[in-house]
Amino acid sequence: MNKKHIIIFLFLLLLFLILLFRPLIFQNVEIPELSKDTLNDIGLIVPDFDLTYSGSNHNYDGETYSFLASSIIDYDGDGMDEIFIGSSRGQTDKILDYDELSLKFNEIDIDLNNDSATFGSVSIDIDNDLDVDLIVAREDGVFFYINENNIFIEKKVNINFDDNSIPMSFAITDLNNDGYFDIYVNTFIKFDLFKSGTFNDESHKTKNIMLLNNRDNTFTDVTNKYGLNYNQNTFLSYFIDLDGDRLQDLVISPNTDKIVLFKNLGNSFQKIDLSDIGYWMGSVPADFDNDGDFDLFFSNIGNSIPNFIAKGDLLDEQILQNEWVYYENLGNFNFKQRIDDIRLDNYEFGWGANSNDFNMDGKMDLIVSENYLNLFSNKITKAPGRLLLMGDDNKFIPSTMASKVSNFYYGQNVLSGFFNDDNIPDVVYVNMDGPVRIFLNKDLNYNYLMLNVPDTLRFNGAIIELIGNKFNQSRIITFGAGLMSDSSNQISFGIGDNDNIEQLKINFLNGDVKVFNDISINQKLTIN
């Protein structure tokens, strides 16, 4: 072979390698978005976010998982949200509190266990004293942090984990309707044992645990008793009534498996596989189509990793699903998978997700954090995170850049909360190796109703309906949806240019109903 042939061969080989590994080298981060003016022209209200805080850096050291806990929490009881931010080993857990006078976020160091990394957390009133406490998953166990006059008192929860597993996050419910909260603990294999792309190795799976409260905040393992046996590395789960029978079902988003639903039959659960096998991560429930029941969104690896790599140890007959997915709730525990027809196809590696009405037009929107520390392409280019506004045709419209809420970092969680007094939802990006970034949503000049809902077990699973002469909206209170995190219990209903509310109805899981008639618009109600 002469020199010319060698050059041609090397050129063709280089071209082949570029085409083969293009997704790893040149991840598609082109923003498939219209301008703000064009979005306005088609009738879409585009929110305008302002990056107000970028700090409290999480410095990942590579010695354990890169995740960190985060929760929206009104820890001082002033009716405004604060943010709990966990940490890695040797770093400091914090509360971020917005100061209306200085228009800045203050960092409040809290004296928690800083020798152990945090992974997941939820905020809830643990001891029924009407202030909000924390449950935190750390690499060395589960901890309660009891809020005593804005100081957190640590208590380790006695839970027996398998030797290969650690707690990752939680789902909260009242399993036996006794008025005490119970905990489903999502587990993950220890960091030094983890192997990526592992679907079929039974030794790589860990046992999730259902804990029943003994009415004194000690717990008994009732996993087998209720048929909730599930062995798989699990990022998150949450309890939600999916079929209107006032029994909370369990949604599980596992790392390497099918999406799993456990249908609540009363005294036991029935396991149902919802999807093909995927790398499921973030998940959020919302009534995206305003039909009164709750649909499900799940993030996935998207187009960021070629299938021949992502398939890992999958067998030839096992199907890998890599797209983000939306399941429309058709009622009676029937779900319709929708991806391209709702414009969710061809996105990137997604982590945590959140839903709120970010443009206050009466439709629930979706926001997803993106990028992966161990993905080569993300060391070169990063995706911006995705704000997807719900259009009039019930399809998602990418609006990240037009709304000025991009996050070109290694995003883990994205939370929504209410930090100033304008009653419209703000956005928090929690990054795996980088700053916490808080975007305040600017005043949209549209009518609303704001509800301050207690972070208590009584409201867990409550469905809140707002009924007007031109609209009907529903929200549900869940603990632990998103990704190893917990968003605000405050609820803001955007009602656009409507000026009439006929009824506000709160439907509790126990069958109680609280009804408010003749509600004035543009006010904040505290619900007890």
Side-chain angles (χ1 to χ4, degrees):
M1 182 180 293
N2 59 36
K3 184 176 180 180
K4 180 180 179 181
H5 289 151
I6 292 174
I7 293 173
I8 293 173
F9 172 79
L10 291 175
F11 174 80
L12 292 174
L13 178 61
L14 178 62
L15 181 62
F16 171 77
L17 291 174
I18 289 174
L19 290 173
L20 183 63
F21 291 101
R22 185 181 186 279
L24 294 177
I25 302 172
F26 304 107
Q27 182 181 348
N28 177 20
V29 292
E30 291 295 321
I31 311 302
E33 298 182 346
L34 303 175
S35 70
K36 185 171 184 176
D37 289 341
T38 303
L39 292 170
N40 289 153
D41 288 342
I42 64 175
L44 191 69
I45 302 166
V46 180
D48 186 11
F49 287 93
D50 178 44
L51 177 60
T52 307
Y53 173 87
S54 182
S56 189
N57 276 31
H58 181 244
N59 301 310
Y60 178 54
D61 59 12
E63 294 181 1
T64 187
Y65 290 113
S66 56
F67 309 124
L68 64 158
S70 58
S71 288
I72 305 297
I73 176 174
D74 180 12
Y75 92 111
D76 57 6
D78 65 352
M80 304 298 294
D81 285 333
E82 290 86 41
I83 312 163
F84 164 70
I85 300 295
S87 62
S88 284
R89 299 172 185 169
Q91 300 178 44
T92 305
D93 299 343
K94 289 183 173 66
I95 294 285
L96 303 179
D97 186 8
Y98 186 69
D99 182 359
E100 287 279 6
L101 294 177
S102 65
L103 304 181
K104 294 181 179 179
F105 282 88
N106 296 318
E107 300 180 7
I108 304 170
D109 291 347
I110 49 179
D111 187 19
L112 304 186
N113 172 6
N114 296 319
D115 294 327
S116 176
T118 65
F119 298 132
S121 63
V122 295
S123 59
I124 187 173
D125 183 4
I126 292 173
D127 52 358
N128 296 317
D129 63 353
L130 301 182
D131 57 21
V132 188
D133 312 299
L134 285 165
I135 307 174
V136 179
R138 293 185 177 273
E139 59 185 337
D140 60 346
V142 174
F143 292 82
F144 287 169
Y145 292 98
I146 307 300
N147 188 346
E148 299 288 354
N149 299 317
N150 304 338
I151 297 173
F152 291 98
I153 308 301
E154 180 180 279
K155 175 188 174 183
K156 188 171 184 179
V157 184
N158 185 21
I159 304 173
N160 293 320
F161 293 100
D162 290 341
D163 290 340
N164 68 336
S165 70
I166 53 174
M168 187 60 72
S169 63
F170 314 102
I172 303 296
T173 190
D174 183 359
L175 197 61
N176 56 352
N177 301 311
D178 65 352
Y180 292 83
F181 71 92
D182 309 307
I183 309 174
Y184 186 80
V185 184
N186 305 300
T187 66
F188 220 85
I189 195 163
K190 289 181 177 178
F191 180 72
D192 57 352
L193 300 176
F194 177 78
K195 298 176 290 185
S196 62
T198 305
F199 298 87
N200 293 307
D201 183 352
E202 293 299 319
S203 68
H204 197 259
K205 300 176 181 180
T206 58
K207 173 190 173 185
N208 291 350
I209 305 170
M210 183 73 241
L211 296 174
L212 191 72
N213 199 318
N214 298 321
R215 301 190 178 191
D216 58 0
N217 289 338
T218 65
F219 297 87
T220 299
D221 185 338
V222 293
T223 312
N224 296 337
K225 177 180 177 181
Y226 282 89
L228 284 168
N229 309 75
Y230 183 66
N231 294 350
Q232 187 54 268
N233 298 299
T234 304
F235 282 122
L236 82 141
S237 63
Y238 49 90
F239 285 95
I240 178 174
D241 178 8
L242 291 171
D243 53 358
D245 61 0
R246 292 200 178 97
L247 297 172
Q248 284 194 301
D249 311 297
L250 180 61
V251 178
I252 296 181
S253 181
N255 179 39
T256 45
D257 200 359
K258 299 176 181 179
I259 296 168
V260 172
L261 305 182
F262 277 97
K263 178 176 171 55
N264 193 334
L265 305 178
N267 294 318
S268 64
F269 287 79
Q270 175 189 357
K271 181 176 178 288
I272 298 170
D273 292 334
L274 188 63
S275 69
D276 287 320
I277 295 170
Y279 291 87
W280 306 109
M281 287 168 277
S283 178
V284 62
D287 185 9
F288 288 108
D289 51 10
N290 280 339
D291 65 351
D293 53 26
F294 295 91
D295 314 298
L296 305 174
F297 167 82
F298 297 86
S299 65
N300 203 342
I301 61 172
N303 62 16
S304 296
I305 303 176
N307 267 16
F308 76 91
I309 295 177
K311 281 179 67 69
D313 68 354
L314 282 179
L315 305 176
D316 290 341
E317 63 269 20
Q318 292 177 303
I319 299 172
L320 177 65
Q321 184 172 346
N322 57 13
E323 299 272 20
W324 300 1
V325 66
Y326 167 100
Y327 283 96
E328 180 184 357
N329 191 338
L330 303 178
N332 297 317
F333 231 80
N334 294 311
F335 297 88
K336 179 181 179 181
Q337 179 177 284
R338 301 180 63 185
I339 300 175
D340 55 344
D341 68 326
I342 202 170
R343 292 196 287 257
L344 273 181
D345 54 321
N346 204 33
Y347 281 108
E348 307 88 358
F349 196 111
W351 284 103
N354 206 282
S355 182
N356 218 319
D357 184 2
F358 293 108
N359 59 357
M360 302 295 285
D361 66 349
K363 297 185 290 291
M364 294 295 280
D365 309 306
L366 179 67
I367 190 165
V368 184
S369 58
E370 296 183 304
N371 304 312
Y372 180 33
L373 275 164
N374 294 331
L375 192 61
F376 176 71
S377 63
N378 284 156
K379 299 183 185 304
I380 301 174
T381 59
K382 293 180 177 64
R386 297 295 185 179
L387 173 63
L388 306 175
L389 299 177
M390 181 61 77
D392 289 335
D393 57 357
N394 283 344
K395 296 181 180 180
F396 292 109
I397 301 174
S399 309
T400 314
M401 307 308 287
S403 301
K404 296 185 289 188
V405 70
S406 61
N407 183 60
F408 290 95
Y409 290 84
Y410 295 111
Q412 176 194 329
N413 297 333
V414 57
L415 309 175
S416 60
F418 300 85
F419 306 114
N420 50 11
D421 207 22
D422 62 5
N423 302 308
I424 52 179
D426 306 309
V427 167
V428 181
Y429 273 109
V430 180
N431 292 307
M432 292 183 242
D433 188 28
V436 175
R437 305 178 81 230
I438 306 173
F439 295 82
L440 294 187
N441 201 343
K442 296 182 182 178
D443 190 0
L444 291 161
N445 295 317
Y446 277 83
N447 294 328
Y448 68 90
L449 179 68
M450 183 77 181
L451 305 179
N452 188 12
V453 180
D455 221 339
T456 60
L457 182 65
R458 177 170 177 253
F459 282 86
N460 180 38
I463 295 174
I464 303 174
E465 297 178 82
L466 191 69
I467 302 168
N469 57 348
K470 296 180 181 178
F471 61 87
N472 193 336
Q473 299 180 43
S474 298
R475 303 282 195 275
I476 192 164
I477 304 295
T478 57
F479 292 89
L483 183 67
M484 296 174 281
S485 59
D486 195 23
S487 279
S488 177
N489 261 29
Q490 297 196 69
I491 293 174
S492 184
F493 288 96
I495 56 177
D497 56 4
N498 294 292
D499 58 5
N500 174 262
I501 297 173
E502 295 180 356
Q503 191 176 79
L504 172 70
K505 184 185 296 186
I506 303 176
N507 304 281
F508 295 92
L509 279 175
N510 65 2
D512 290 347
V513 179
K514 182 177 283 192
V515 177
F516 302 83
N517 295 307
D518 301 320
I519 300 293
S520 300
I521 63 172
N522 298 333
Q523 66 165 320
K524 183 174 182 177
L525 295 177
T526 296
I527 307 298
N528 295 309

